Amino acid sequence: MNNFYLPLMNDNIDKEDISLLIEFLSQDKIPKLTNGPKVVEFENAWGRWLGTKYNLMVNSGASANELTMLALAHLIGEGEIIVPPLTWISDISSVLFAGHKLVFVDVNFNNLSFDIDKLKSAITSNTKAIFLTHVLGINGLTNELLEICEQNNILLIEDVCESHGTTFQGSKVGNFGFASNFSFYFAHHMSTIEGGMISTNNWEFYQICRALRSHGMTREMTSDSMKISIAMDNPDLNPDFIFLRPAHNFRSTEINAVIGLSQLPKLDEKNQQRIDNFNYFMSELNQEKYHTEIDIEGNCNYAFIVILKESDLNKRNDIERKLRNNGIEFRRGLSGGGNQMRQPFFKSTYTDFLNYPNIEHIHNFSWYIGNYPGLEKEKITKLLEVLNG
């Protein structure tokens, strides 16, 4: 029987985190457990770590995506949002829920971000934003991409849910777009059980997000001038119950924030372990069998990325069988399971898959495998033996 086991994630929340949570819950006066002072404390700590002025904690990375797209629709109107087909489903659903139009653009193999030439061709006068995904800890930014946004007056939204601590030209990703979204799900770089964050340097956008986080209630805004202006435009409404736009309850809890405050100071050290693991893995991965030309500068990966060069189903199935037989957990298709245009709700809409050759290859011939602090080098070597053998 095989005793070797390499899970996708291991012990992301540790005993120290739980001890601090127990201490918080054991106060003589029972603390407020819904969105409160600990959430604010974590938002401020996150802003200092990331470098952004305004930060809003929500109950998941998916909620961060949805809130961002709703706020954009309110701020600049509905329009076309360019997204990659290699992303998590919440990026796509958030665009649809807010009333925007999806425009898919294929990815490249160098950083798994947009194919720049195809991105240029996809831009129209109705393009409101480019919704970039930093896939599995890989920086998806380039100078050319930033120039495209600036020259066309298009907002850049960064999905950093899988890439806490990844950098571009020495600065953390999440600082380059109009807004950025993070997830604190168990499998990611740090966890608050469930949770997410919206980060921005735009005051008006931040205020709108504050309202939308709580059903759209304007009383959640901290800008008195904005609240007064909205109340004057709606004199028939009680100022305590003015709903800016249809929205849900996206609030987090004090429990999640306490765990976040415990996790955040350890993030940089744990990320360095992930970087060391990933660099060793990529340096030893068979270059003849797998794509190893991925740009790893600034990357911070919580997963090993494996992309087969050949479009060979028999070889793919053989690799998956060997991974399973050796106790190695994996997911095919990288982020979100590959090509999102193949999901049931899009099958009648998108059929021109030959125009998206790179995501099609990734959909069928790639995997991600767990990379986390505490992962023994011997296990990485064993993984390489299985893949290279």
Side-chain angles (χ1 to χ4, degrees):
M1 185 177 179
N2 179 29
N3 293 321
F4 182 87
Y5 179 51
L6 201 167
L8 290 178
M9 180 56 72
N10 190 43
D11 298 334
N12 205 9
I13 294 177
D14 58 31
K15 290 184 178 180
E16 181 183 5
D17 303 327
I18 300 303
S19 295
L20 287 173
L21 179 59
I22 291 171
E23 181 181 341
F24 171 73
L25 294 172
S26 300
Q27 300 176 60
D28 291 336
K29 183 179 180 181
I30 298 174
K32 176 184 177 182
L33 295 182
T34 190
N35 189 87
K38 284 295 180 183
V39 168
V40 174
E41 185 180 346
F42 180 51
E43 290 170 341
N44 292 337
W46 179 261
R48 289 191 297 271
W49 178 82
L50 181 62
T52 45
K53 293 181 182 178
Y54 312 116
N55 302 275
L56 194 75
M57 188 182 188
V58 290
N59 53 20
S60 72
S63 294
N65 289 337
E66 185 169 343
L67 261 177
T68 294
M69 288 298 133
L70 284 170
L72 285 186
H74 182 82
L75 194 62
I76 61 174
E78 299 168 4
E80 295 175 357
I81 308 292
I82 297 177
V83 298
L86 179 62
T87 189
W88 191 250
I89 184 62
S90 63
D91 292 46
I92 291 166
S93 58
S94 66
V95 172
L96 295 174
F97 292 160
H100 300 293
K101 179 183 177 182
L102 280 167
V103 177
F104 284 109
V105 169
D106 202 7
V107 297
N108 67 78
F109 287 114
N110 188 47
N111 66 359
L112 303 180
S113 183
F114 294 108
D115 180 316
I116 289 294
D117 289 335
K118 292 183 178 179
L119 178 68
K120 292 176 182 177
S121 300
I123 293 172
T124 72
S125 59
N126 200 33
T127 302
K128 297 290 187 178
I130 293 173
F131 199 176
L132 167 73
T133 298
H134 298 283
V135 175
L136 293 171
I138 296 178
N139 161 52
L141 289 167
T142 62
N143 286 324
E144 189 172 8
L145 176 60
L146 294 173
E147 288 169 4
I148 288 171
C149 292
E150 184 176 357
Q151 291 169 0
N152 293 278
N153 196 28
I154 295 171
L155 297 181
L156 175 66
I157 308 299
E158 296 180 75
D159 175 353
V160 202
C161 290
E162 302 176 343
S163 301
H164 312 49
T166 295
T167 62
F168 174 60
Q169 297 181 344
S171 297
K172 292 186 181 78
V173 299
N175 278 289
F176 294 87
F178 178 79
S180 56
N181 301 332
F182 292 81
S183 168
F184 305 126
Y185 175 61
F186 173 78
H188 294 161
H189 293 73
M190 61 168 280
S191 177
T192 60
I193 308 175
E194 298 282 357
M197 191 75 75
I198 301 171
S199 297
T200 184
N201 291 317
N202 186 282
W203 174 249
E204 185 179 5
F205 174 80
Y206 168 68
Q207 291 298 322
I208 293 168
C209 286
R210 284 192 63 89
L212 294 176
R213 179 174 65 174
S214 296
H215 306 280
M217 286 191 296
T218 58
R219 75 182 187 202
E220 294 294 322
M221 293 176 166
T222 56
S223 170
D224 289 336
S225 62
M226 289 182 70
K227 286 192 288 187
I228 291 171
S229 175
I230 294 169
M232 290 179 65
D233 288 339
N234 297 275
D236 57 324
L237 296 177
N238 179 346
D240 288 334
F241 294 101
I242 297 177
F243 298 94
L244 192 65
R245 189 181 181 94
H248 306 296
N249 172 16
F250 297 108
R251 295 187 299 267
S252 188
T253 74
E254 297 288 85
I255 289 173
N256 303 101
V258 168
I259 293 178
L261 286 164
S262 177
Q263 288 250 310
L264 185 56
K266 300 175 282 191
L267 180 58
D268 289 338
E269 182 180 352
K270 289 186 174 183
N271 278 351
Q272 188 57 54
Q273 296 175 47
R274 292 184 175 93
I275 292 168
D276 294 342
N277 291 346
F278 190 82
N279 289 345
Y280 169 64
F281 175 80
M282 292 302 294
S283 69
E284 299 296 325
L285 190 62
N286 190 319
Q287 297 180 13
E288 295 181 2
K289 289 185 178 181
Y290 304 104
H291 283 280
T292 57
E293 64 272 21
I294 295 173
D295 183 3
I296 64 173
E297 184 177 354
N299 292 353
C300 184
N301 308 76
Y302 74 83
F304 299 121
I305 294 170
V306 184
I307 305 174
L308 192 64
K309 282 189 172 181
E310 291 184 63
S311 300
D312 187 328
L313 287 172
N314 290 329
K315 185 170 287 188
R316 181 197 77 180
N317 295 339
D318 185 44
I319 289 170
E320 292 188 355
R321 184 164 52 250
K322 289 179 179 178
L323 290 170
R324 290 191 188 96
N325 290 344
N326 282 276
I328 299 167
E329 194 173 359
F330 64 89
R331 295 288 186 271
R332 186 198 303 163
L334 304 183
S335 296
N339 190 353
Q340 291 291 346
M341 293 184 292
R342 286 189 172 275
Q343 293 298 333
F345 48 87
F346 278 145
K347 276 190 174 178
S348 61
T349 306
Y350 299 101
T351 56
D352 57 337
F353 300 128
L354 292 179
N355 292 328
Y356 302 83
N358 294 340
I359 184 56
E360 277 294 278
H361 182 85
I362 289 168
H363 181 86
N364 291 295
F365 303 104
S366 71
W367 307 268
Y368 73 84
I369 298 165
N371 170 28
Y372 43 85
L375 177 59
E376 303 90 338
K377 189 173 182 179
E378 293 77 14
K379 285 195 173 184
I380 305 175
T381 301
K382 171 70 172 178
L383 169 62
L384 287 161
E385 288 174 358
V386 173
L387 290 170
N388 291 341

